[in-house]
Amino acid sequence: MTKSPDAPASSAPTGGVPAETAPTAEQALAALAALRAEVGKAVVGNDNAVLYLVLALLCRGHVLLEGVPGVAKTLLVRALARSLDLEHARVQFTPDLMPGDVTGSQIYDPHSAEFTFRHGPVFTNLLLADEINRTPPKTQSALLESMEERQVSVDGQPRPLPDPFVVIATQNPIEQEGTYPLPEAQLDRFLFKVDIQLPGRDDEFRVLQRHAAGFDPRDLAAAGLRPVAGPAHIAAARAAVGTVAVSPEVLAYIVDLCRATRSAPAVRHGASTRGATALMAAARAFAWLNGRAFTTPDDVKFVATTVLRHRLQLRPEAELDGVTAEAVLAGLLHSVPVPV
């Protein structure tokens, strides 16, 4: 586990904005647009993934990035952290990692003859949980309280985590040797599951062009990345998202969609009520990012697959037939009546 060398000092100004100046909603929207462009200086062809990382910040959610090795999952998170005026840390999950290596532990001080708490890397704003499925369930579960309650309890004493706090975990879907599938309870705590695909030909060509010109993914500062947004912008954006209207018709559509996942023939367990609230929050934030003060069914449709795909447990016979959660959701999005 390592503290990222790109992390700015905690005393640094928030995104270039004086601490006493609270940005407006418009300024926050502009800062988040600049954030997406800034990440693009280092990462090519993952605009959709950057969008969902921004949405997670607005919704106080966590993100699971899944993709084969070498598609810039870790670089994407490091570039986001570099572009934000937030503290961040990286934990490389391995089979021998212990829960205390993530959350922290009590250390005996022989000089004072007392135990003192040593904070783990989870005490940060952005936590990159790299290859989270390579560590045993007991260590994976060390993040459960942190992700849900935004605190760590040691010896019965809760210790609050910084705000904002977002876990961005990565996992490799094709290599199963030496991996431990995430339990359903932990999967449900991720707001989004984002699939990182191999780039298209043009994007891959641009990646090679950048590397040929001297781009070093280990030196993001040299690539020109700088903080363009910070906690004040995120707080202003969250407050603005909270004012976005969600009509009863759209709420009913979300409920009907989530209930339909529970009765789909190929699904053993569908989306829970937590999934429904996550879908509403994500659609609301997406509407605000698009400059609207109200949520539409199209907003729900846009984020539905990314919010719900990891919350569906398929029946074994459906999996043997090649059915996927994405295919089930595509059918439901087509069949569930949309309010007009």
Side-chain angles (χ1 to χ4, degrees):
M1 55 188 176
T2 57
K3 190 77 170 182
S4 171
D6 295 324
S10 58
S11 59
T14 302
V17 179
E20 66 273 8
T21 304
T24 64
E26 291 76 16
Q27 290 171 330
L29 186 60
L32 292 178
L35 171 66
R36 294 166 65 181
E38 197 71 13
V39 173
K41 292 180 180 180
V43 181
V44 176
N46 279 317
D47 297 342
N48 205 45
V50 177
L51 168 64
Y52 282 110
L53 290 173
V54 171
L55 288 174
L57 283 167
L58 299 182
C59 299
R60 296 180 172 86
H62 310 287
V63 182
L64 179 63
L65 300 178
E66 185 171 279
V68 298
V71 290
K73 298 186 297 294
T74 302
L75 176 62
L76 172 63
V77 180
R78 290 184 56 243
L80 177 74
R82 174 70 188 178
S83 303
L84 282 167
D85 193 7
L86 297 174
E87 291 186 353
H88 57 283
R90 175 179 178 269
V91 179
Q92 181 66 52
F93 280 77
T94 56
D96 61 344
L97 197 71
M98 299 298 291
D101 296 329
V102 179
T103 60
S105 56
Q106 297 279 18
I107 303 296
Y108 180 74
D109 185 352
H111 299 289
S112 62
E114 294 180 349
F115 283 93
T116 58
F117 181 72
R118 184 179 64 184
H119 290 74
V122 75
F123 286 87
T124 190
N125 296 121
L126 296 179
L127 177 67
L128 171 56
D130 214 355
E131 296 188 286
I132 192 173
N133 57 333
R134 288 201 175 278
T135 199
K138 68 176 181 180
T139 304
Q140 293 175 358
S141 64
L143 285 173
L144 286 174
E145 182 187 16
S146 303
M147 294 172 68
E148 185 66 19
E149 308 294 337
R150 263 66 176 182
Q151 67 178 25
V152 170
S153 295
V154 178
D155 292 340
Q157 181 180 350
R159 291 175 169 84
L161 295 171
D163 184 44
F165 171 71
V166 176
V167 174
I168 306 173
T170 70
Q171 66 176 10
N172 176 1
I174 61 172
E175 188 176 355
Q176 301 303 318
E177 185 176 352
T179 62
Y180 305 84
L182 291 175
E184 287 76 12
Q186 185 153 17
L187 280 174
D188 201 38
R189 282 168 169 78
F190 285 100
L191 176 64
F192 300 124
K193 179 185 175 185
V194 180
D195 283 344
I196 307 295
Q197 302 293 332
L198 286 166
R201 185 183 186 280
D202 291 342
D203 287 335
E204 196 162 12
F205 179 77
R206 290 170 58 199
V207 170
L208 266 63
Q209 271 190 320
R210 291 188 178 189
H211 280 263
F215 172 72
D216 183 358
R218 291 169 291 276
D219 189 357
L220 296 181
L225 269 73
R226 60 184 180 85
V228 295
H233 295 106
I234 295 171
R238 287 175 173 176
V241 169
T243 67
V244 174
V246 188
S247 69
E249 292 78 13
V250 173
L251 290 177
Y253 177 57
I254 293 172
V255 169
D256 291 342
L257 188 58
C258 290
R259 291 180 69 86
T261 66
R262 303 166 198 164
S263 57
V267 178
R268 181 173 57 179
H269 297 297
S272 66
T273 304
R274 178 189 285 158
T277 58
L279 183 54
M280 182 198 70
R284 207 176 189 185
F286 182 68
W288 180 79
L289 277 181
N290 283 276
R292 282 182 277 102
F294 57 90
T295 310
T296 68
D298 284 340
D299 297 324
V300 177
K301 285 186 171 185
F302 183 88
V303 299
T305 299
T306 311
V307 172
L308 299 178
R309 59 160 53 114
H310 56 294
R311 305 175 194 271
L312 305 188
Q313 294 182 44
L314 300 181
R315 297 184 183 278
E317 57 270 25
E319 291 184 305
L320 289 174
D321 289 338
V323 177
T324 64
E326 289 81 2
V328 172
L329 289 168
L332 295 178
L333 288 169
H334 180 72
S335 62
V336 174
V338 179
V340 294

